Amino acid sequence: MTNKPEKWDMETDVLVIGTGAAGLTSAIVAKDNGAAVLVIEKSGLVGGTTSASGGAVWAPCNHHMTEKGIDDSREEALVYCKQITKGRVPEELVEKYIDTVPEMLKFMEDTTPLKFEVATMPDYHPQFEGGHDGKDSRTLGPLTFNKMELGDSMAKLRPNPTMGLPLTFAEMDEWDSICKPQNVDFELIAQRMGEGLCGFGEALMAALYKGCLDRDIDPIVNTRALELVVDDGKVIGIIARQEDKEIYISASKGVILASGGFEWNEELKNTFLPGEITHPNSPPYNEGDGLKMAMSVNAKLGNMTEHWGWVSMSIPGEEVDGRPLSRGSLTERALPHVIIVNKKGKRFVNEAASYNDMFKPFWEVNENTLEYKNLPSWHVFDQQFHDKYAFLTVMPGEDVPDYILQADTIKELAEKAGIDPEGLANEVEKFNGYVEKGEDPDFNRGKDVFDHYWGDADNKPNPSLGYIKKPPFYAMQNYCGSLGTKGGPRTSTDAQVLHMSGVPIPGLYAAGNVTAVVSGPSYFGAGGTIGPAMTFGYLAARHAAKQ
Amino acid sequence: MPQVEYKNIVNAPMDAVWSYVSVIDKWAPFLKGYVKHEELNDKESIWTLKGDVGVLCRVVEMKVNITDWDDDAKKVAFEIEGINEKATGGGTFIAVSQSDNETELTFILEINAGGMIGPVVNVLMKPMLKPVAAEMANKIKDAIEKEQA
Ligand SMILES: Cc1cc2nc3c(=O)[nH]c(=O)nc-3n(C[C@H](O)[C@H](O)[C@H](O)COP(=O)(O)OP(=O)(O)OC[C@H]3O[C@@H](n4cnc5c(N)ncnc54)[C@H](O)[C@@H]3O)c2cc1C
């Protein structure tokens, strides 16, 4: 059977679907390996979720670590990763990642304007065997990039709504910006913005985009891949929609799916996920189109119940891409003087743990009522927090907007929020007892190096634990956010999509959040999604270009 | 402080221009992102706008206070103070007759974001002011000319 058209509208060797980290990395690499390349993008802008991200890349044994004299080894990294993947990811895939990410980074830095430096972020479970803490970090952060270098194409770059400042992770550390936002030099940032500089995920994508433009690859935007064209069991192209017309694009060497997850598709979420994602943090174009195309050719699926969890909040009236903007909670939940509670007023998680893993209890269900045990839930903090730290866009000491509930007593606050007042008062009292001792026997908050990174070193004895006792008290409701889903077609070590039978489907590749990702249920460290997206994009492109 | 000045020649006599500009309700919806406004008294009103700051769209409430309403000089000056966002600013409309049927309408607007991140917000707002002022001034011109036709 074939759905091959009589005539193709466009023809190429390698067709890349999507313009995030996975997509543009594969476009660049395919071209440099001799293939003609076309890239299509569903939205009007280039960059995907990656552009809206922190842009960090998790890369054991990378050359920047070596240059800084940081020790790492393949064996250490493997031991660490296996504890993260919990036996749910084929070992050869993890090995391939660890073996290839340093080479991929070196290649990208040598051949494009993309540049990184070592950050000081610990792995997300640094206490695991083989884990690294912030002193010997495996996380790289992108350097700032001047968008003016993109010329007219600058307008086609997706801006970053929450992490768009032209800064580096190193500067954030230097200013101790997590605990002391007042140290941040906003005048300097404003000056850099005026000059056209961008940072984080936007810098990463701007640099990759420039790498594409330098190779005469300019993604065709507003073009949505819909269907694979298959001939005699081989994927030879796609059908895409541009406005109201359908176009056929052939790809003689391969189609690379790099179209992100399905966090914006209600039907797919209901089908595969065991809980709700009401507030995705990605741009709203990741609707599982790549997954559906892979399913149409009987791809073997994996990791379908997982996503990159991110507990989030929403400021009323704030929108991006015509949808409410979902802002993740990072420092808001991990600094002292704040807890997260459910409607009974009870804590249920180590608030300072990694966002992916601390998300898991949000989907716990009560076996009798079938209601979520921990939804709705709230951040509850006191004036000491507000005196010292930023909460969302509210800087220390500034007027607290109405959307953050406030009250003079804990019970009054609970009543306003709809939390059990007695329960919350008791929990706060218990928590304050833990603060006194500097230990959280319920959830071990502040015990590990990871928690300390997001805490306040000046807060003794435990950088994550601070009393909640100075009125007024504040509460803000949480929602189930997500950086993206991370289940999809299983892939070979060359990023070929595998058929249900286990053999590669000729002509079809996938990388990034469209796939069953290499970290399985958990998260290696900051950059643990973009690192694999780029690495498997690199592998896909090299393999496809050789066909 | 981001500031913009936009001049327009309206093909209408000055009195017609002035009487149009004097009725805020007529042109308020021409302001990009306009949601509503509520007059508290002769001078003060509360405006709700849904506007872009960089890539973000936010709902902003601000108080507008008319500081100078000069029928002779055909000039209105006002101050702006953010209610839910830290921002201050002001603006002026001036109508100057060019001929019997031509009036120059000048619109000046300046706005300054406050707070710690004010400098950053100002950079984001700067490129947006000019198109906002231009769009509003052009719509006012069109509306007046249509009334005259
Ligand atoms: C605020 C935030 C911070 C983050 N920080 C980090 C970080 O520092 N490090 C890290 O590793 N991860 C981070 N993440 C997660 C990371 O951004 C994503 O996991 C990663 O960018 C996914 O890359 P991707 O290339 O697979 O997909 P995306 O970047 O989402 O790109 C997919 C692209 O495909 C397009 N597309 C979808 N369907 C189609 C179709 N049918 N046809 C054509 N195009 C299509 C989409 O429009 C999109 O442009 C963060 C995420 C967020 C939201």
Side-chain angles (χ1 to χ4, degrees):
Chain A
M1 263 239 318
T2 180
N3 54 351
K4 190 176 163 185
E6 277 174 15
K7 188 175 158 293
W8 297 98
D9 297 291
M10 292 180 204
E11 294 181 40
T12 190
D13 293 336
V14 173
L15 174 71
V16 178
I17 300 172
T19 58
L24 293 199
T25 303
S26 50
I28 288 167
V29 176
K31 181 85 181 199
D32 286 9
N33 279 272
V37 177
L38 271 183
V39 183
I40 61 167
E41 165 57 49
K42 177 176 175 179
S43 76
L45 298 172
V46 170
T49 315
T50 319
S51 208
S53 79
V57 167
W58 191 81
C61 308
N62 69 69
H63 62 281
H64 289 287
M65 291 171 79
T66 315
E67 280 158 18
K68 285 193 95 178
I70 297 172
D71 274 343
D72 198 2
S73 72
R74 179 182 196 270
E75 291 66 38
E76 247 181 79
L78 267 176
V79 168
Y80 174 72
C81 288
K82 280 186 193 160
Q83 294 158 91
I84 297 286
T85 55
K86 299 185 76 65
R88 287 162 64 177
V89 178
E91 271 183 31
E92 66 268 20
L93 212 61
V94 181
E95 285 177 17
K96 190 73 174 194
Y97 175 53
I98 291 168
D99 291 341
T100 314
V101 65
E103 166 193 325
M104 177 279 294
L105 282 168
K106 188 81 179 60
F107 176 84
M108 297 308 286
E109 287 198 336
D110 286 349
T111 61
T112 75
L114 181 60
K115 298 288 173 278
F116 288 101
E117 66 183 356
V118 180
T120 57
M121 285 173 165
D123 289 346
Y124 283 175
H125 292 278
Q127 75 282 11
F128 285 5
E129 192 186 344
H132 276 203
D133 65 23
K135 290 192 295 296
D136 53 3
S137 180
R138 288 163 164 151
T139 293
L140 298 175
L143 300 187
T144 56
F145 183 83
N146 197 322
K147 290 187 277 187
M148 302 288 183
E149 288 186 35
L150 298 173
D152 290 345
S153 299
M154 189 170 105
K156 253 171 80 179
L157 177 70
R158 177 170 292 284
N160 187 326
T162 60
M163 302 175 94
L165 301 181
L167 274 182
T168 62
F169 285 108
E171 284 172 323
M172 284 176 63
D173 280 344
E174 199 180 299
W175 290 330
D176 197 6
S177 62
I178 290 176
C179 332
K180 300 187 178 71
Q182 64 278 8
N183 285 358
V184 176
D185 188 344
F186 285 106
E187 293 285 352
L188 174 70
I189 294 171
Q191 184 196 323
R192 286 183 185 171
M193 285 166 78
E195 290 163 8
L197 289 170
C198 61
F200 302 106
E202 198 178 334
L204 188 148
M205 287 317 303
L208 287 181
Y209 189 13
K210 179 73 168 82
C212 285
L213 293 172
D214 289 344
R215 289 164 174 80
D216 288 328
I217 304 169
D218 196 356
I220 308 168
V221 294
N222 297 314
T223 304
R224 177 181 189 175
L226 286 178
E227 207 182 299
L228 298 171
V229 176
V230 186
D231 189 34
D232 202 15
K234 182 179 183 225
V235 175
I236 56 162
I238 64 150
I239 306 174
R241 179 168 300 138
Q242 274 180 334
E243 292 182 1
D244 286 339
K245 81 173 190 275
E246 285 192 347
I247 57 166
Y248 284 77
I249 309 175
S250 79
S252 59
K253 291 174 185 278
V255 170
I256 301 179
L257 304 175
S259 51
F262 57 87
E263 63 274 9
W264 286 96
N265 183 313
E266 293 310 314
E267 190 191 355
L268 291 174
K269 282 190 289 184
N270 286 335
T271 305
F272 293 114
L273 299 178
E276 64 181 34
I277 299 174
T278 51
H279 289 64
N281 305 83
S282 57
Y285 308 94
N286 292 351
E287 296 177 282
D289 297 341
L291 170 63
K292 288 201 246 174
M293 286 185 269
M295 290 196 302
S296 74
V297 287
N298 296 326
K300 180 176 186 173
L301 303 183
N303 219 33
M304 295 308 296
T305 55
E306 301 290 344
H307 75 131
W308 308 108
W310 218 22
V311 172
S312 295
M313 292 171 278
S314 179
I315 297 177
E318 246 188 6
E319 284 179 7
V320 73
D321 284 293
R323 318 250 180 157
L325 173 67
S326 175
R327 288 182 178 269
S329 170
L330 273 175
T331 57
E332 286 85 352
R333 59 183 164 78
L335 284 162
H337 312 293
V338 62
I339 53 176
I340 287 183
V341 297
N342 60 21
K343 55 183 177 284
K344 291 185 174 165
K346 297 271 177 235
R347 291 176 66 220
F348 52 89
V349 68
N350 171 4
E351 293 90 344
S354 89
Y355 39 84
N356 186 75
D357 298 331
M358 67 84 64
F359 184 92
K360 295 188 187 287
F362 282 78
W363 278 358
E364 264 178 48
V365 169
N366 178 303
E367 66 279 21
N368 295 313
T369 62
L370 298 187
E371 284 177 358
Y372 289 112
K373 284 183 184 169
N374 301 317
L375 288 170
S377 79
W378 292 262
H379 284 69
V380 170
F381 57 105
D382 79 346
Q383 182 61 28
Q384 296 178 85
F385 186 106
H386 179 49
D387 286 341
K388 285 188 269 187
Y389 313 125
F391 193 89
L392 298 175
T393 56
V394 185
M395 290 289 148
E398 284 183 355
D399 291 346
V400 176
D402 292 345
Y403 57 78
I404 299 179
L405 299 176
Q406 60 172 292
D408 287 333
T409 67
I410 286 286
K411 284 192 177 168
E412 226 183 290
L413 183 76
E415 265 157 26
K416 279 191 179 173
I419 306 171
D420 172 28
E422 210 60 47
L424 183 61
N426 291 340
E427 191 71 3
V428 167
E429 197 183 324
K430 183 169 78 165
F431 180 75
N432 284 340
Y434 295 167
V435 177
E436 179 80 40
K437 292 199 192 95
E439 277 174 23
D440 168 22
D442 291 345
F443 302 104
N444 286 327
R445 174 167 167 188
K447 194 165 172 235
D448 290 327
V449 178
F450 178 82
D451 301 10
H452 296 181
Y453 179 81
W454 294 101
D456 182 350
D458 293 340
N459 188 78
K460 306 278 190 240
N462 185 324
S464 304
L465 301 180
Y467 295 106
I468 300 180
K469 64 178 180 191
K470 184 178 174 190
F473 301 100
Y474 303 97
M476 178 92 182
Q477 190 172 343
N478 305 317
Y479 297 102
C480 291
S482 180
L483 306 182
T485 55
K486 51 174 163 170
R490 287 209 180 274
T491 46
S492 73
T493 50
D494 282 317
Q496 298 156 285
V497 171
L498 297 178
H499 185 265
M500 276 194 296
S501 63
V503 300
I505 297 171
L508 189 61
Y509 299 81
N513 287 351
V514 70
T515 64
V517 303
V518 66
S519 57
S522 189
Y523 210 128
F524 299 137
T529 92
I530 295 175
M534 292 178 72
T535 303
F536 288 103
Y538 172 84
L539 286 163
R542 279 205 326 190
H543 194 275
K546 280 192 214 120
Q547 298 311 298
Chain B
M1 176 179 300
Q3 193 198 42
V4 62
E5 179 173 328
Y6 195 83
K7 280 186 199 295
N8 225 349
I9 298 290
V10 184
N11 295 315
M14 180 150 81
D15 285 345
V17 172
W18 184 242
S19 78
Y20 186 92
V21 170
S22 304
V23 185
I24 293 177
D25 285 356
K26 282 193 173 174
W27 52 262
F30 296 160
L31 185 55
K32 194 174 172 137
Y34 172 84
V35 178
K36 61 176 183 181
H37 80 281
E38 182 194 343
E39 285 178 25
L40 302 178
N41 54 47
D42 274 3
K43 296 202 151 128
E44 293 174 320
S45 50
I46 305 275
W47 290 63
T48 307
L49 304 173
K50 194 171 169 183
D52 292 329
V53 183
V55 56
L56 267 183
C57 179
R58 297 185 83 150
V59 174
V60 183
E61 278 197 337
M62 49 192 164
K63 190 168 180 181
V64 174
N65 183 18
I66 295 173
T67 51
D68 183 14
W69 190 292
D70 189 335
D71 273 318
D72 298 331
K74 306 288 187 244
K75 177 179 160 195
V76 189
F78 56 89
E79 284 172 355
I80 300 169
E81 200 187 332
I83 296 173
N84 65 343
E85 301 281 348
K86 275 192 183 310
T88 52
T92 317
F93 275 110
I94 310 166
V96 178
S97 176
Q98 303 293 305
S99 69
D100 283 355
N101 201 33
E102 274 188 340
T103 307
E104 183 188 72
L105 184 60
T106 305
F107 177 45
I108 301 169
L109 179 67
E110 66 179 41
I111 191 133
N112 190 30
M116 248 182 244
I117 59 169
V120 170
V121 179
N122 282 336
V123 176
L124 293 171
M125 275 193 310
K126 203 172 167 194
M128 294 178 167
L129 281 193
K130 183 127 196 205
V132 167
E135 186 182 315
M136 179 160 132
N138 289 332
K139 284 187 172 167
I140 291 177
K141 170 183 156 77
D142 290 350
I144 298 172
E145 288 174 358
K146 211 165 162 197
E147 266 187 8
Q148 292 294 299

